[in-house]
Amino acid sequence: YYPLLFGKDGHDLNEFVETYASFIRENGVPDIILATAWPYMCYVAKKALAMNGNFTKKVISWLHAPLERYQESGFGGYEHLALANAHFAISKTIYDGIKRALPDSLVYMARNPVDFDKCVKVKNHDEECREGLNLFFVGRVSKEKRLECIVNAISVNAGACSLYIIGSGDKEY
């Protein structure tokens, strides 16, 4: 994965293909292409490989949101995702969506990793959730992030903790 062009604005799909094909010519053909960021990238990868005369290398998609979000934003759809040889899904929602739309495709769960060595286990909720404790969520605000779990957990000791949610996303949620 290489972010060759940032954002979709001011660029068209052909420019992404040309840029990636040029990158492959200069740096060599990868063994596997991990097409992340958008469903369009599966198309870009396959087309760039073909422009370099390579039709056998594998492309694996790795979406980080349900496909419908990409479609609504104009970043590709199932027809682009169908070009990948396999798919990684970071959630059951994404996994189920791909299997429903592309039932014969290979889909693997590949959740975002958590380094548990850097996590601290809270042993006594009442002692830890004390006055002045600030909790922060930084990320995309959407149903699949399950923010209600955090709200429900701190509501046990309402008023003791402050929760700050930093991000953008689904305003209704």
Side-chain angles (χ1 to χ4, degrees):
Y1 166 72
Y2 291 93
L4 301 171
L5 300 169
F6 295 95
K8 193 179 100 176
D9 294 339
H11 305 287
D12 66 18
L13 210 47
N14 290 329
E15 185 180 5
F16 279 98
V17 171
E18 288 290 336
T19 302
Y20 195 51
S22 175
F23 178 85
I24 288 174
R25 277 191 296 280
E26 292 171 18
N27 295 285
V29 178
D31 294 324
I32 296 173
I33 295 176
L34 184 59
T36 187
W38 315 320
Y40 272 157
M41 299 315 287
C42 298
Y43 170 83
V44 168
K46 284 290 193 177
K47 192 88 167 166
L49 286 168
M51 288 175 71
N52 284 291
N54 193 301
F55 301 94
T56 61
K57 297 298 182 178
K58 304 297 183 202
V59 173
I60 300 174
S61 77
W62 192 8
L63 299 183
H64 285 72
L67 187 72
E68 292 70 26
R69 291 189 188 268
Y70 297 104
Q71 286 176 309
E72 291 165 7
S73 301
F75 290 101
Y78 285 110
E79 68 277 11
H80 301 100
L81 212 58
L83 298 172
N85 300 94
H87 311 275
F88 290 155
I90 66 165
S91 71
K92 180 133 175 53
T93 300
I94 296 170
Y95 179 94
D96 290 344
I98 295 170
K99 284 306 266 184
R100 196 171 33 257
L102 306 169
D104 295 330
S105 62
L106 297 172
V107 185
Y108 302 95
M109 289 294 290
R111 298 186 185 274
N112 285 331
V114 175
D115 185 350
F116 287 103
D117 292 335
K118 295 181 180 177
C119 295
V120 177
K121 183 176 180 182
V122 176
K123 293 180 181 162
N124 183 337
H125 178 270
D126 292 332
E127 185 179 304
E128 291 296 324
C129 195
R130 62 191 177 280
E131 188 70 35
L133 182 66
N134 295 316
L135 304 172
F136 291 85
F137 169 87
V138 180
R140 183 170 35 86
V141 177
S142 60
K143 185 173 177 142
E144 65 266 12
K145 298 295 183 178
R146 308 269 327 263
L147 291 173
E148 72 276 5
C149 292
I150 298 171
V151 173
N152 291 338
I154 68 170
S155 69
V156 172
N157 204 354
C161 301
S162 295
L163 173 62
Y164 297 88
I165 299 174
I166 301 166
S168 61
D170 186 351
K171 293 188 187 318
E172 290 180 21
Y173 176 75

